[in-house]
Each structure stands twice: as structure tokens, then as C-alpha cells.
């Protein structure tokens, strides 16, 4: 019996087992086995392929977004619309066979968008270049899971086995032996999540494409799903809202600089993560600036009045203006 068959059998047994105190131990063992088998799916095979089969792309820009989805959901069209990169698109499946990068320019930030090959059943075993897709997606800041709106909830249901609380995770390695110390009460599910501590969690945004082909009632229903955005690449509908949501999920902020006696430079923002401090801004400008720092003047929503004299620990907010004074 293969790993997929074993996983299926365990899932069926979990589903038909009544949940009570008498079965807690048995269910815990089943869930542990399930986690172990899922981890094995991503273990590299003994026979390695020829060199050059991977498609790692050098990380660039202010953030990276991985575009994942089943074949023919519109990923290539989306990439062509949102970036200056032309990704081949066709009406048949598996058009994209490698990773195609593009850049979204939004609010002064350069967001790298990676169009990855369509995922298929058995991707974790390498089918459809599944392992390469997972390896590249692990390096992203946000995953866009593009779905076909005409298929309802089917595709989302298929990928949600790897999703928990809007965190799309990937298994990396397996734990065989450990001593566990409980410092608080924990459910069996919580224990399994901690035990399988080899999961890489990342924000996931579900994007339903082709809403021009379904009813308004269905569009409304899908739009109300958690962490979801509905769009139409064909009709170019709701793309602006998708960019706003993507910006929010990336948690980026724009910081503008100002020289003494001059107007702020709004032509080129410094892109930082939310909750970035003045010290982080100094390091972004120059690695030695923090050691020469005396104080900073900040204009914007992070201050009680403008300008406000602040130190290195002051937390910046979106579209703040900063003037740094050296010793």
C-alpha cells in the first residue's frame, strides 16, 4: 500500500471514529501517523533527476508573492495583466512548465510575482514538478492561491488540507524522537501541530477568477468567504481591490525621507515592513547611519505632533516622513 493510500485509510478511520474521552488516545495516534505520512510525501526520492530541473528565481524587489493554482485557472493571464511580463496562456492545461517571474509596481514598491506551474493531485510526490513548486513557494512572503470560480468550492477544498487559519504550510522535515514538556493544557490537535514543528506557515489569499461566468449570487457568496477576493482577468474586474488586499497581507509601509531645509522626497519611498522602527530605516539607508544617529524628526500619523523629535526605537507608520540628524 502506497503512502497516499495509507493517508486515505487513516483519514477515513478518523472520520468514522466517534470523538470522546475513550477514543482520544487512538485518535491522537492516528493524527500522528497522518502527520508522519504527509511529511514523507515531501521527502526527496533516492533517485535524483538530471541537473538543471529546478527553477529557483533570485529574490528581488521589496516582497515576493507566489502564484499557485490548478491548471487553467488564469494564472498566466493574471501575471500578464499585473506585470509587464508576458506569460504564455492557452485554453489547454499545463501551459506554464517553469517559474515565470514578473514585477508588480504598487505604492512605490516592487513586488515580485512568481507564476508557478499548475498543481495537480500527487504534486507532493513530484508530479507536475510539485516539489519544485513547493520549494519556490516556501521563499515567498504571501501565497496567492488562484481558483476557478466556475468550480465553486471544489478546488479550495482540495488545497485546504494544507491550510490552517489562513496559513498555507509546507512540510520540511520529520521528527522521530523527542521529550515533550507541557507548560499549559493542550488538545491533541494542538499537540500534533507542535510536534510537527517542521511546517512553514505563510499568509494565503484565495483569489477566485472567472467571476464573469457565474451568477451574481455565487459571486457574492464567494466574496464573503474568509481571506478571499473575486476577480475576472478576462473582464479586468476587481483587480484594484486585489492589489489593496495583497498590500495588506504583505504588511508593507512607505517611508519618505527629507533633507534639512528641503521638501520631502516623494519620488522614491523606502519600503519597510509594518512596525519598522527608526533604527530599521537607518539600516536601510546605510549600514553605518545608526551608529552616527543623534535624533530624527518625523512627520506623519506615528507622531503626536509634526514634526516630532524621536529616537531609534520610534515605530514608523505608512507614509511618514523622516529627517535624520547625525551626531
Amino acid at each position: 500500500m502506497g503512502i497516499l493510500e495509507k493517508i486515505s485509510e487513516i483519514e477515513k478511520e478518523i472520520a468514522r471514529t466517534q470523538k470522546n474521552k475513550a477514543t482520544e488516545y487512538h485518535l491522537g495516534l492516528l493524527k500522528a501517523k497522518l502527520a508522519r505520512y504527509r511529511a514523507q510525501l515531501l521527502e526527496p526520492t533516492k533517485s535524483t533527476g538530471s541537473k538543471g530541473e529546478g527553477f529557483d528565481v533570485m529574490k528581488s524587489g521589496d516582497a515576493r508573492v507566489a502564484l499557485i493554482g490548478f491548471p487553467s485557472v488564469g494564472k498566466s493571464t493574471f501575471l500578464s495583466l499585473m506585470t509587464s511580463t508576458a506569460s504564455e496562456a492557452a485554453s489547454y492545461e499545463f501551459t506554464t512548465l517553469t517559474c515565470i517571474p514578473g514585477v508588480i509596481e504598487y505604492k512605490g514598491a516592487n513586488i515580485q510575482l512568481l507564476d508557478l506551474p499548475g498543481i495537480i493531485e500527487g504534486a507532493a510526490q513530484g508530479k507536475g514538478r510539485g516539489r519544485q513548486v513547493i520549494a519556490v513557494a516556501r521563499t515567498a512572503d504571501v501565497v496567492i492561491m488562484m481558483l476557478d470560480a466556475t468550480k465553486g468550492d471544489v478546488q479550495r477544498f482540495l488545497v485546504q488540507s494544507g491550510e490552517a487559519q489562513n496559513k498555507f504550510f509546507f512540510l520540511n522535515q520529520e521528527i522521530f524522537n523527542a521529550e515533550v514538556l507541557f507548560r499549559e493544557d493542550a488538545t491533541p490537535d494542538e499537540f500534533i501541530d507542535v510536534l510537527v514543528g517542521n511546517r512553514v506557515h505563510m499568509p494565503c489569499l484565495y483569489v477566485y477568477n472567472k467571476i464573469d461566468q457565474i451568477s451574481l449570487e455565487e459571486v457574492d457568496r464567494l466574496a464573503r468567504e474568509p481571506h478571499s477576493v473575486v476577480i475576472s482577468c478576462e473582464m479586468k474586474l476587481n483587480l484594484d481591490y486585489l492589489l489593496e488586499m495583497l498590500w495588506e497581507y504583505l504588511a508593507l509601509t512607505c517611508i519618505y525621507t527629507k533633507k534639512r531645509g528641503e521638501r520631502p522626497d516623494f519620488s522614491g519611498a523606502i519600503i519597510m515592513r509594518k512596525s519598522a522602527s527608526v533604527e530599521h530605516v537607518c539600516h536601510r539607508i546605510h549600514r553605518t547611519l545608526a551608529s552616527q544617529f543623534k535624533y530624527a524628526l518625523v512627520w506623519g500619523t506615528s507622531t503626536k505632533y509634526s514634526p516630532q523629535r524621536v529616537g531609534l526605537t520610534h515605530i514608523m507608520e505608512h507614509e511618514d516622513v523622516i529627517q535624520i540628524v547625525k551626531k
Side-chain angles (χ1 to χ4, degrees):
M1 182 183 293
I3 293 179
L4 288 177
E5 289 79 9
K6 291 179 181 179
I7 289 176
S8 178
E9 289 298 318
I10 292 175
E11 289 176 339
K12 290 177 182 177
E13 186 171 352
I14 291 175
R16 63 173 174 257
T17 301
Q18 292 185 350
K19 296 177 177 61
N20 52 54
K21 289 186 177 181
T23 61
E24 278 184 359
Y25 179 76
H26 178 63
L27 286 172
L29 291 177
L30 291 175
K31 290 177 180 179
K33 286 183 180 179
L34 188 61
R36 185 171 67 251
Y37 285 137
R38 284 174 174 170
Q40 289 177 2
L41 283 177
L42 296 185
E43 288 294 321
T45 56
K46 293 182 180 180
S47 59
T48 56
S50 59
K51 295 182 179 179
E53 288 186 354
F55 42 75
D56 288 344
V57 178
M58 182 178 294
K59 196 168 186 177
S60 65
D62 301 295
R64 168 178 278 194
V65 176
L67 185 58
I68 300 177
F70 291 91
S72 299
V73 295
K75 295 188 291 86
S76 298
T77 303
F78 178 78
L79 180 78
S80 301
L81 284 174
M82 306 304 292
T83 72
S84 58
T85 303
S87 180
E88 183 183 356
S91 58
Y92 50 87
E93 297 185 346
F94 304 109
T95 304
T96 301
L97 298 177
T98 187
C99 177
I100 302 176
V103 177
I104 299 174
E105 297 179 0
Y106 187 67
K107 292 187 177 181
N110 291 324
I111 303 170
Q112 186 181 45
L113 180 65
L114 302 181
D115 178 16
L116 296 166
I119 57 175
I120 60 173
E121 184 178 354
Q125 293 180 303
K127 294 182 180 180
R129 311 199 74 178
R131 284 200 179 94
Q132 293 98 321
V133 170
I134 292 173
V136 176
R138 284 169 57 91
T139 67
D141 300 295
V142 170
V143 169
I144 288 182
M145 185 63 66
M146 184 161 284
L147 308 170
D148 188 336
T150 64
K151 299 186 183 300
D153 297 317
V154 174
Q155 292 184 342
R156 181 162 182 164
F157 174 78
L158 290 174
V159 301
Q160 276 188 330
S161 60
E163 184 265 350
Q165 296 180 357
N166 188 39
K167 302 290 183 179
F168 191 82
F169 65 78
F170 302 97
L171 297 175
N172 185 18
Q173 58 186 1
E174 188 175 351
I175 299 173
F176 293 97
N177 298 286
E179 292 184 2
V180 181
L181 174 63
F182 286 89
R183 298 188 183 276
E184 61 182 34
D185 293 335
T187 65
D189 287 339
E190 290 171 340
F191 173 70
I192 294 296
D193 284 342
V194 172
L195 186 64
V196 188
N198 50 4
R199 291 176 178 176
V200 176
H201 294 258
M202 56 208 319
C204 181
L205 186 61
Y206 294 95
V207 178
Y208 289 92
N209 186 29
K210 306 181 184 180
I211 60 171
D212 55 296
Q213 301 179 30
I214 60 177
S215 66
L216 290 176
E217 291 78 11
E218 182 67 0
V219 171
D220 182 70
R221 187 187 70 82
L222 294 176
R224 295 178 185 276
E225 290 290 323
H227 316 294
S228 301
V229 177
V230 294
I231 67 167
S232 169
C233 290
E234 181 70 24
M235 304 293 292
K236 300 180 181 179
L237 298 175
N238 216 29
L239 298 179
D240 290 342
Y241 178 68
L242 172 56
L243 284 177
E244 292 179 12
M245 289 291 292
L246 182 59
W247 180 269
E248 180 180 334
Y249 275 59
L250 288 170
L252 298 177
T253 58
C254 297
I255 308 297
Y256 299 103
T257 58
K258 178 187 180 302
K259 293 182 179 180
R260 184 175 182 179
E262 298 182 10
R263 297 178 63 84
D265 180 15
F266 293 114
S267 61
I270 299 176
I271 307 300
M272 305 291 295
R273 298 290 178 180
K274 281 186 178 179
S275 301
S277 66
V278 171
E279 185 175 7
H280 293 138
V281 176
C282 289
H283 287 307
R284 177 62 66 86
I285 296 174
H286 196 277
R287 64 181 183 275
T288 64
L289 186 56
S291 61
Q292 303 171 346
F293 179 88
K294 186 176 182 181
Y295 65 89
L297 297 175
V298 176
W299 292 257
T301 57
S302 70
T303 62
K304 296 179 180 178
Y305 48 87
S306 295
Q308 179 176 333
R309 181 169 169 164
V310 300
L312 287 172
T313 59
H314 178 77
I315 302 300
M316 306 293 289
E317 293 186 2
H318 185 55
E319 296 185 339
D320 275 359
V321 176
I322 184 172
Q323 176 186 322
I324 297 174
V325 179
K326 296 191 291 185
K327 295 177 183 178

